Amino acid sequence: MILLGLCFIILIGPAHCWDSVQMEVFDVVEEVNQNFYELMGLAQLTWLYQIDATVSDVKRAYRTLSKQIHPDKSDDPDAEIKFRQMVAVYEVLKDPERRQHYDNVLVNGLPDWRSPVFYFRRARKMSMLEISVILTVVISIAQYLMAWGSYWDKYKTLDEYYDRKFKKAAKVKKSGPDPKEEFLAKIAKPSWKNILPIQICQGLYYVVVHGPSLIKKYREEQKRKIQKAEEEKRELEEEERLRLKEVKSA
């Protein structure tokens, strides 16, 4: 859980400086993979990314292109895809905020692999199953490497401890197996059986195999507690009855 939290913080934390509008613009830029102004026929109105096209120019270009590439009016097999992309581009260019973000992309480019938002954008498009699989693999590898790191740290510590405490005794005993090796061999080595997916499978297996018997034992234990409580209640009632009887007879 700690590793999962760290992965979430590393991925999400630094990406908070990009809002959802910027993310949408990044997605459209990546999908269209073409200069928006050139696609809309507005390239002649640009100079070194200083865009002179007004919102009216954008709307006029949109109406013109709609008549040309609309799926109902075009024989192009990719007309539906092109029309959808053109509509997405139009939604960006007609909105001042989105358009400003796109103009920044023209100057600075999209965030690359060195930026956390690069991975965040891809994670947004993944299903929960894909994210779960990736996180499970990453956590399993990290868990396995950390287990080996802990093993070698413990091995080195005990090795130094043995040399300090038993060095003289080891020199006296020259025949037979090396006691130091026997001592260090008792340290359990990490196993792939201890990684997260195997532990999950083992847990599910244990629940499936032993679950019914555990439930049965739990019910029997609850039944015994109820019976014991009823017996104690009857004993108290009997004691109270005898006490009242003695009082009356006195």
Side-chain angles (χ1 to χ4, degrees):
M1 292 302 294
I2 295 175
L3 286 174
L4 183 61
L6 288 175
C7 291
F8 182 81
I9 292 172
I10 291 172
L11 183 63
I12 303 301
H16 74 280
C17 54
W18 283 275
D19 57 32
S20 59
V21 174
Q22 286 175 297
M23 295 293 183
E24 292 173 4
V25 173
F26 292 160
D27 291 342
V28 177
V29 171
E30 194 172 62
E31 179 184 358
V32 175
N33 195 27
Q34 182 181 349
N35 185 292
F36 288 4
Y37 295 101
E38 292 178 357
L39 186 147
M40 298 295 291
L42 298 170
Q44 68 275 15
L45 300 177
T46 66
W47 175 252
L48 295 177
Y49 303 127
Q50 299 298 316
I51 310 304
D52 297 324
T54 64
V55 176
S56 298
D57 295 328
V58 173
K59 291 182 178 180
R60 190 180 305 110
Y62 170 73
R63 288 193 293 268
T64 301
L65 280 176
S66 297
K67 297 176 182 179
Q68 298 174 1
I69 65 174
H70 194 282
D72 295 337
K73 300 179 180 180
S74 175
D75 296 330
D76 190 337
D78 297 328
E80 185 174 349
I81 296 175
K82 291 180 179 179
F83 183 77
R84 177 172 53 80
Q85 292 180 348
M86 189 269 293
V87 171
V89 168
Y90 168 69
E91 293 295 332
V92 171
L93 295 183
K94 77 172 184 176
D95 182 85
E97 182 182 1
R98 286 179 167 81
R99 183 169 173 175
Q100 180 61 47
H101 290 322
Y102 175 67
D103 292 343
N104 291 335
V105 171
L106 287 178
V107 177
N108 302 314
L110 288 172
D112 59 14
W113 61 271
R114 292 168 293 185
S115 174
V117 74
F118 176 84
Y119 303 98
F120 177 70
R121 288 178 55 236
R122 277 147 183 78
R124 287 170 62 240
K125 300 177 183 179
M126 292 181 181
S127 65
M128 288 303 298
L129 177 60
E130 292 173 320
I131 294 176
S132 300
V133 170
I134 292 174
L135 286 179
T136 300
V137 172
V138 171
I139 292 173
S140 299
I141 294 174
Q143 181 186 13
Y144 191 67
L145 294 177
M146 290 174 64
W148 272 106
S150 176
Y151 167 79
W152 286 115
D153 182 64
K154 186 183 295 183
Y155 186 94
K156 183 179 179 181
T157 301
L158 292 178
D159 184 36
E160 294 174 352
Y161 172 80
Y162 186 91
D163 288 340
R164 289 196 307 268
K165 295 293 184 180
F166 306 105
K167 193 172 184 180
K168 294 181 179 179
K171 288 182 178 179
V172 174
K173 186 177 180 180
K174 297 182 180 180
S175 60
D178 187 355
K180 179 179 178 180
E181 293 299 328
E182 292 181 348
F183 177 75
L184 296 176
K186 295 178 181 179
I187 306 174
K189 291 185 178 181
S191 171
W192 59 270
K193 296 180 180 180
N194 297 326
I195 63 176
L196 181 62
I198 303 302
Q199 290 177 335
I200 293 175
C201 293
Q202 289 175 340
L204 292 175
Y205 174 81
Y206 182 85
V207 170
V208 171
V209 174
H210 301 285
S213 61
L214 292 175
I215 294 174
K216 183 178 179 180
K217 289 181 180 179
Y218 173 78
R219 289 177 176 175
E220 291 176 351
E221 182 65 23
Q222 292 298 112
K223 186 177 180 180
R224 282 195 295 269
K225 288 182 179 180
I226 294 173
Q227 291 176 347
K228 184 177 180 181
E230 291 177 349
E231 290 176 359
E232 291 177 351
K233 183 179 179 181
R234 285 195 297 269
E235 290 177 358
L236 290 174
E237 290 175 350
E238 182 65 19
E239 290 177 0
E240 182 66 17
R241 187 183 66 80
L242 293 174
R243 187 183 67 81
L244 292 174
K245 185 176 180 181
E246 290 176 357
V247 170
K248 289 180 180 180
S249 60

